[in-house]
Amino acid sequence: MSEQGARASGGPRQASAIFAATLDLLAEQGYEGLGIESIASRSGVNKTTIYRWWPSKDAVLAAALVHSDLLAFAMPDTGSLRGDLLALTREITQLLTGEQTAPIVATVLAAAPRRPELAAVAHTFFAERLTREQPMFQRAIERGELQPSVDPAMIMDLLAGAIWFRILLRDQPMTPEYLSSAVDLVLQGTAATR
Amino acid sequence: MSEQGARASGGPRQASAIFAATLDLLAEQGYEGLGIESIASRSGVNKTTIYRWWPSKDAVLAAALVHSDLLAFAMPDTGSLRGDLLALTREITQLLTGEQTAPIVATVLAAAPRRPELAAVAHTFFAERLTREQPMFQRAIERGELQPSVDPAMIMDLLAGAIWFRILLRDQPMTPEYLSSAVDLVLQGTAATR
């Protein structure tokens, strides 16, 4: 059982209410509007109870993110690396633009550089994603679509990075044509790599 | 003259002091620690004077960033697209990891999603960069290194995005080997694109 799970085991129903209130408040008011006070009032759970489990708003938020399925994702298995990467890039786009997920992702990443607990959630999230993506690349190698020397992390850095950069930093719309061009460019680049 | 320039023209020496204080405070204490009060106290300029020129801390910060040369960059012209892209990726890495620039970049981008004035600075910055990068790609097309059908913005999205993703989201170190592999992969991908 995780540390958060153990902490919350005294009152799992209250923990769910606290997590839901935390993510709702984050989406509505951003990181700066989030506080133990407002979480207590929204969830109907006593402030002292919340502090007993989590010492800070960052700790509650980190636990809420880990326990939520908002950031959950299915690993595609379409039969080709191209199909798998297209599915993944569509899903990353959805995460960054979806009504429920976009405000959460943006504010957590915004706050993370100076918030060690949130940074740890982000780093763990991306490390876990990469671990779960490995079988996709392994299948591609077995099908002869990818050379074993290519670093899967770099492929994901390039594709996920381009989507992040374009949506969040350039504020440009994402199109299916852009995603397929980017996937094709990277696949052709990896095919030529030796 | 820019709007900020016109506003500040009544007291350019004071404006410089205000901008320097703003960026210092941002680097030291992050976005949340920044305020007109603290800027006034650090710069020695009266709070009322600051408010007369800029209505909010975001407005001061936006003006400070536009006027600073911290985010200035030289456009490389090494004689090859590969050399130019390597130089650009090294410079982006420096921007994201440099002692003076990293805290500023991280906090501004962190705050930007909910701060329209900061978001506008970021979008203008990246749009201007792209405009200044165009001649580099034009020279590459003239040298026969790049097909005219390739979108330069996508090349920059992939490379800059990968660097951002790896440094800021994965919290992994950047190496010269990584940069040259990424540039080679993208160049081989664009060479194969038709």
Side-chain angles (χ1 to χ4, degrees):
Chain A
M1 186 179 273
S2 73
E3 197 190 2
Q4 283 87 1
R7 273 183 192 152
S9 62
R13 218 171 331 163
Q14 283 189 308
S16 296
I18 292 165
F19 294 158
T22 304
L23 296 180
D24 283 353
L25 285 166
L26 183 70
E28 286 166 23
Q29 298 174 23
Y31 180 77
E32 285 173 77
L34 192 68
I36 300 282
E37 198 89 38
S38 57
I39 296 170
S41 139
R42 172 73 66 109
S43 65
V45 177
N46 199 289
K47 214 169 69 168
T48 328
T49 309
I50 301 178
Y51 272 120
R52 201 183 331 134
W53 289 335
W54 300 283
S56 66
K57 78 167 178 176
D58 286 348
V60 187
L61 179 52
L65 288 169
V66 169
H67 282 257
S68 84
D69 57 2
L70 269 182
L71 302 180
F73 54 96
M75 232 5 109
D77 186 1
T78 63
S80 76
L81 181 57
R82 184 172 191 277
D84 287 355
L85 289 177
L86 279 175
L88 268 189
T89 56
R90 279 194 293 263
E91 195 203 303
I92 295 167
T93 303
Q94 179 56 31
L95 192 70
L96 293 186
T97 57
E99 203 183 328
Q100 280 199 296
T101 50
I104 293 175
V105 170
T107 46
V108 169
L109 289 165
R114 287 178 172 266
R115 305 282 159 191
E117 281 155 313
L118 299 185
V121 171
H123 301 155
T124 305
F125 173 72
F126 290 113
E128 277 177 9
R129 276 201 74 122
L130 193 59
T131 305
R132 292 194 46 202
E133 284 153 2
Q134 294 291 354
M136 191 183 82
F137 291 105
Q138 194 51 47
R139 291 194 303 268
I141 291 170
E142 285 159 16
R143 283 191 300 252
E145 296 172 311
L146 185 67
Q147 300 188 41
S149 61
V150 177
D151 176 13
M154 182 180 285
I155 294 181
M156 292 316 304
D157 289 350
L158 288 163
L159 289 175
I163 299 170
W164 281 78
F165 201 81
R166 190 165 182 90
I167 294 177
L168 295 183
L169 304 187
R170 287 205 203 278
D171 196 26
Q172 295 286 311
M174 186 50 67
T175 62
E177 293 71 32
Y178 183 95
L179 293 182
S180 63
S181 299
V183 166
D184 287 340
L185 193 157
V186 168
L187 283 180
Q188 285 159 344
T190 57
T193 299
R194 55 209 75 239
Chain B
M1 185 178 271
S2 72
E3 196 188 5
Q4 284 87 3
R7 276 182 191 150
S9 62
R13 215 168 335 160
Q14 283 189 309
S16 296
I18 292 166
F19 294 159
T22 303
L23 295 180
D24 284 354
L25 285 167
L26 183 69
E28 286 167 24
Q29 298 174 22
Y31 180 76
E32 285 173 77
L34 193 67
I36 299 284
E37 197 89 38
S38 57
I39 296 170
S41 139
R42 172 73 65 107
S43 64
V45 177
N46 198 290
K47 215 170 66 170
T48 327
T49 309
I50 301 178
Y51 272 121
R52 200 181 334 130
W53 288 335
W54 300 283
S56 66
K57 77 166 179 177
D58 286 347
V60 187
L61 179 53
L65 287 169
V66 169
H67 283 256
S68 84
D69 57 2
L70 270 183
L71 303 180
F73 53 96
M75 232 4 108
D77 185 2
T78 63
S80 76
L81 180 58
R82 184 172 191 277
D84 288 354
L85 289 176
L86 279 175
L88 268 189
T89 57
R90 280 195 293 265
E91 196 204 298
I92 295 168
T93 302
Q94 180 55 33
L95 191 71
L96 293 187
T97 57
E99 204 182 327
Q100 281 200 294
T101 50
I104 293 174
V105 171
T107 46
V108 169
L109 288 167
R114 287 179 172 266
R115 305 283 159 190
E117 280 154 316
L118 298 185
V121 171
H123 302 155
T124 305
F125 173 71
F126 290 112
E128 276 177 10
R129 278 201 72 123
L130 192 59
T131 304
R132 291 194 47 203
E133 283 153 2
Q134 295 289 356
M136 191 183 84
F137 291 106
Q138 193 53 46
R139 292 194 303 269
I141 291 170
E142 284 160 14
R143 285 190 300 253
E145 297 173 312
L146 185 68
Q147 301 188 39
S149 61
V150 177
D151 176 13
M154 183 181 284
I155 295 180
M156 293 316 304
D157 290 349
L158 288 163
L159 289 174
I163 299 170
W164 281 78
F165 201 81
R166 192 167 180 90
I167 294 177
L168 295 183
L169 303 188
R170 287 206 203 277
D171 196 26
Q172 295 287 309
M174 187 49 67
T175 62
E177 293 71 32
Y178 182 95
L179 293 182
S180 63
S181 298
V183 166
D184 286 341
L185 193 157
V186 168
L187 283 180
Q188 285 159 345
T190 56
T193 299
R194 57 209 76 238

